[in-house]
C-alpha cells in the first residue's frame, strides 16, 4: 500500500512516520507533491526533519511546482535532493488541471505560458 502523507497535518504525518518506523526495516512513505518548509512557509510544506525521516524509511518525495519559475523549481528540487540524501526524488506532476506548470521562461504572462505548454503537449502527442 502506498501511503502519501502530503495532505496530513504535521502532527498526523509525524505520527504516521512513527508508526512506519516501528516496522522491521521501516515502511516507505511518500510525499507526492510538496516542497521543503522555509522560515516563512505554511504548515503544508514539509519540515526538513520529517523529510529526512521519510528518506530513512526508503520513501520518496515529489517536488511540487505550483505557479513558480523554472529556476525556483530547480532550486527547490536541489534542496529536496539534499534533504532526501540524494535519492528518491521525483517531480510532483499534478498538472492534469489542478496545478499549473512552472512559468515558461520566455512567456511574459501566465496565459502565454499556458499556451506554450498546450502547444507543446499537442505537438508532442502526449
Amino acid at each position: 500500500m502506498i501511503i502519501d502523507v502530503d495532505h496530513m497535518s504535521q502532527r498526523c504525518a509525524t505520527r504516521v512516520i512513527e508508526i512506519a518506523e516501528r516496522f522491521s526495516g521501516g515502511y516507505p512513505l511518500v510525499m507526492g507533491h510538496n516542497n521543503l518548509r522555509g522560515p516563512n512557509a505554511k504548515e503544508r510544506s514539509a519540515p526538513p526533519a520529517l523529510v529526512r525521516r521519510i528518506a530513512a524509511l526508503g520513501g520518496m518525495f515529489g517536488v511540487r511546482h505550483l505557479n513558480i519559475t523554472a529556476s525556483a523549481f530547480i532550486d527547490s528540487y536541489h534542496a529536496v535532493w539534499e534533504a532526501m540524501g540524494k535519492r528518491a526524488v521525483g517531480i510532483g506532476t499534478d498538472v492534469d488541471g489542478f496545478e499549473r506548470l512552472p512559468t515558461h521562461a520566455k512567456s511574459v504572462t501566465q496565459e502565454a505560458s499556458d499556451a506554450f505548454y498546450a502547444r507543446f503537449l499537442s505537438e508532442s502527442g502526449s
Side-chain angles (χ1 to χ4, degrees):
M1 177 188 305
I2 297 173
I3 301 173
D4 189 329
V5 299
D6 265 345
H7 293 278
M8 297 177 185
S9 67
Q10 182 176 332
R11 182 177 175 191
C12 183
T14 299
R15 182 71 180 114
V16 169
I17 291 169
E18 289 169 356
I19 293 167
E21 289 169 337
R22 290 184 190 162
F23 285 87
S24 176
Y27 190 96
L29 301 172
V30 172
M31 286 192 149
H33 52 280
N34 211 332
N35 285 319
L36 289 179
R37 186 179 302 169
N40 298 319
K42 298 178 182 172
E43 184 182 20
R44 166 110 169 61
S45 300
L50 288 186
V51 174
R52 287 189 292 274
R53 289 172 75 184
I54 286 174
L57 289 167
M60 70 86 51
F61 193 111
V63 181
R64 187 170 184 233
H65 52 72
L66 174 63
N67 222 11
I68 62 173
T69 65
S71 177
F73 172 77
I74 291 168
D75 291 344
S76 182
Y77 190 94
H78 284 292
V80 171
W81 179 251
E82 291 298 322
M84 286 292 291
K86 299 182 179 181
R87 62 181 193 73
V89 178
I91 299 172
T93 56
D94 284 358
V95 295
D96 57 354
F98 294 109
E99 290 193 4
R100 297 179 186 268
L101 288 161
T103 305
H104 181 254
K106 294 183 180 178
S107 298
V108 178
T109 65
Q110 184 63 50
E111 291 77 22
S113 181
D114 292 345
F116 165 80
Y117 285 114
R119 232 178 13 263
F120 169 79
L121 292 171
S122 172
E123 292 171 9
S124 70
S126 297

